[in-house]
Amino acid sequence: MSFRAAFWLIISFFILVDLVLLLLSPVIGAISLVLLVLAVALMILLKPEWWEQAKFRIRKKKENQQPGKTTKNPRKMVLERCDRGASGAGPIVIDHSPFEIGRSGDCDYMVSEMPSVGRHHCRIIYRESTNNYYIEDLGSKNGTYVNSFRLAANTPMLLKSGSMISLDKFQFIFKPTDQ
């Protein structure tokens, strides 16, 4: 049994005992509750490394995965280039999440011919919980625009079919695949 599991098992036991004491004798139960809170506070102050081990961590949803891990999307969408330099360019299929756009070679879609686009400019995220796509600017210098509205850095915005995404002179229309 891990340290974290043992810690939360003990805390749960003491909370259960405290609830019983509160029902039987409110004064003793209140004193017990105060002692429990003080014990946890002392642990945080005196042994912060124990608290780091014991902290309950909510599992992150798929849209907040670590870089490099991808999620397949049930509903594929595409970005269709519609700027002047897009002659002959086919649609960009967004088949996993997160889908990153930028100048860097490790991006899912690399825009190397435009120095005003950031190395890691923006990303498109699919969230299973809402069954929607979102776009998030990654703190780029020149910004990411959706329908002429500049996104705040690191703040996801809902993407709808037909949304116009602009990265400087690059423009894309977000839409479902033609399948």
Side-chain angles (χ1 to χ4, degrees):
M1 181 182 291
S2 71
F3 178 84
R4 181 180 297 142
F7 173 82
W8 287 111
L9 185 66
I10 292 167
I11 292 294
S12 299
F13 172 76
F14 279 112
I15 289 173
L16 185 64
V17 168
D18 193 46
L19 288 174
V20 171
L21 285 174
L22 276 170
L23 290 174
L24 297 176
S25 173
V27 174
I28 294 174
I31 291 171
S32 173
L33 182 63
V34 168
L35 290 175
L36 180 64
V37 170
L38 284 174
V40 172
L42 279 174
M43 184 182 76
I44 292 169
L45 291 173
L46 299 177
K47 293 285 188 180
E49 64 274 7
W50 285 4
W51 178 246
E52 284 302 314
Q53 289 178 7
K55 262 197 314 195
F56 179 71
R57 293 188 176 107
I58 299 172
R59 290 192 176 126
K60 294 183 178 183
K61 293 183 180 179
K62 289 183 180 180
E63 70 266 17
N64 293 329
Q65 287 183 342
Q66 297 171 357
K69 293 186 179 181
T70 58
T71 304
K72 292 194 176 197
N73 303 333
R75 172 174 70 111
K76 289 186 182 174
M77 300 293 280
V78 295
L79 292 174
E80 191 171 283
R81 292 257 319 252
C82 59
D83 52 89
R84 290 184 194 158
S87 59
I92 303 150
V93 179
I94 302 169
D95 58 355
H96 63 277
S97 177
F99 187 89
E100 197 165 304
I101 301 170
R103 276 193 347 252
S104 178
D106 62 344
C107 289
D108 299 300
Y109 181 72
M110 192 171 92
V111 182
S112 58
E113 64 267 19
M114 183 78 58
S116 59
V117 173
R119 287 190 303 262
H120 296 273
H121 196 92
C122 66
R123 72 173 153 223
I124 296 173
I125 304 162
Y126 174 76
R127 292 189 180 160
E128 280 185 288
S129 58
T130 60
N131 195 27
N132 285 315
Y133 283 87
Y134 296 83
I135 188 166
E136 180 178 18
D137 183 82
L138 298 174
S140 64
K141 181 179 176 184
N142 295 313
T144 302
Y145 294 81
V146 176
N147 299 327
S148 301
F149 175 77
R150 185 173 180 156
L151 301 179
N154 302 310
T155 305
M157 179 180 190
L158 177 66
L159 278 175
K160 296 180 181 173
S161 181
S163 293
M164 175 73 73
I165 300 169
S166 302
L167 315 175
D168 193 23
K169 293 182 178 142
F170 285 92
Q171 293 181 333
F172 306 92
I173 294 177
F174 181 77
K175 62 184 195 175
T177 57
D178 293 329
Q179 296 177 353

